[in-house]
Amino acid sequence: MAHSSLNLSRRQLFTRRNTSEHPSLPWVKESQFSDLCTQCGECIKQCPTKIIQPSDGGFPRVDFQQGECTFCYQCAEACPEPLFHPKTETAWQAKAHISDACLAKQNVDCRSCGDSCEPFAIKFKLAIGAVAQPHIELPDCTGCGACVSVCPTSAITIKHT
Ligand code: SF4
Ligand code: SF4
Ligand code: SF4
């Protein structure tokens, strides 16, 4: 009884978190995740960049403070449950967003995020009387998260579009 109520509360917690704007895992079927994921941890073990971590509710989710997703698909291949879409589909509809905590918005020159973005999705636009301002070209952003941990003010988050 105690065990099932713990499971229920974890699922409720996850369901609340899962409706959040942040992605859980690439390619995952979000609507079935809390029902089908057994929290076995195989995806956590296989991720080469170690960005998959247990969340508060015990379910795995990506933490871009640990690094980036290389879209290798090893988490999906390791999962024993029918939880992931095929690799041929888009991993997720998640994109980077820059908040007002960005140093450039406070007129401090910084291009750390742009330097970390392989697809060159972050463009810096000159502004009159201010340092160059970052702008994300959303069609070019893969949501890989490489720009997140390099930001000195934690201004970047990866969100579903
Ligand atoms: S696709 Fe690869 S790098 Fe991305 S979360 Fe899965 S295992 Fe990690
Ligand atoms: S491998 Fe699959 S079932 Fe196991 S924790 Fe990861 S997503 Fe859940
Ligand atoms: S999430 Fe990846 S692709 Fe998108 S802006 Fe950041 S580094 Fe570039």
Side-chain angles (χ1 to χ4, degrees):
M1 183 65 185
H3 180 69
S4 65
S5 50
L6 175 64
N7 268 348
L8 182 61
S9 70
R10 281 185 171 178
R11 287 187 195 289
Q12 286 168 336
L13 177 65
F14 179 77
T15 303
R16 281 201 301 276
R17 290 173 65 89
N18 200 29
T19 55
S20 85
E21 51 200 352
H22 304 289
S24 49
L25 295 175
W27 287 283
V28 85
K29 298 170 185 171
E30 298 276 8
S31 63
Q32 296 174 53
F33 195 14
S34 57
D35 287 332
L36 295 183
C37 175
T38 61
Q39 304 185 356
C40 72
E42 287 304 315
C43 54
I44 294 174
K45 281 189 222 157
Q46 291 304 317
C47 178
T49 54
K50 306 291 177 207
I51 63 167
I52 306 179
Q53 302 283 330
S55 67
D56 292 346
F59 290 94
R61 64 186 301 118
V62 291
D63 175 1
F64 295 113
Q65 288 299 336
Q66 312 298 320
E68 69 190 278
C69 178
T70 61
F71 302 110
C72 66
Y73 203 68
Q74 288 185 47
C75 49
E77 282 170 350
C79 179
E81 309 300 331
L83 256 172
F84 289 82
H85 293 292
K87 193 177 185 182
T88 47
E89 294 188 18
T90 306
W92 49 32
Q93 300 296 330
K95 308 279 182 184
H97 290 256
I98 302 177
S99 79
D100 287 344
C102 169
L103 285 177
K105 293 188 183 180
Q106 297 157 48
N107 213 20
V108 177
D109 199 21
C110 175
R111 298 193 181 212
S112 298
C113 56
D115 293 342
S116 71
C117 180
E118 257 182 47
F120 302 110
I122 306 178
K123 309 282 190 234
F124 282 82
K125 295 192 171 171
L126 294 177
I128 296 170
V131 301
Q133 301 292 308
H135 167 79
I136 296 177
E137 300 284 345
L138 291 179
D140 296 333
C141 174
T142 63
C144 71
C147 52
V148 172
S149 67
V150 298
C151 174
T153 58
S154 302
I156 305 182
T157 49
I158 306 298
K159 296 181 185 177
H160 289 302
T161 51

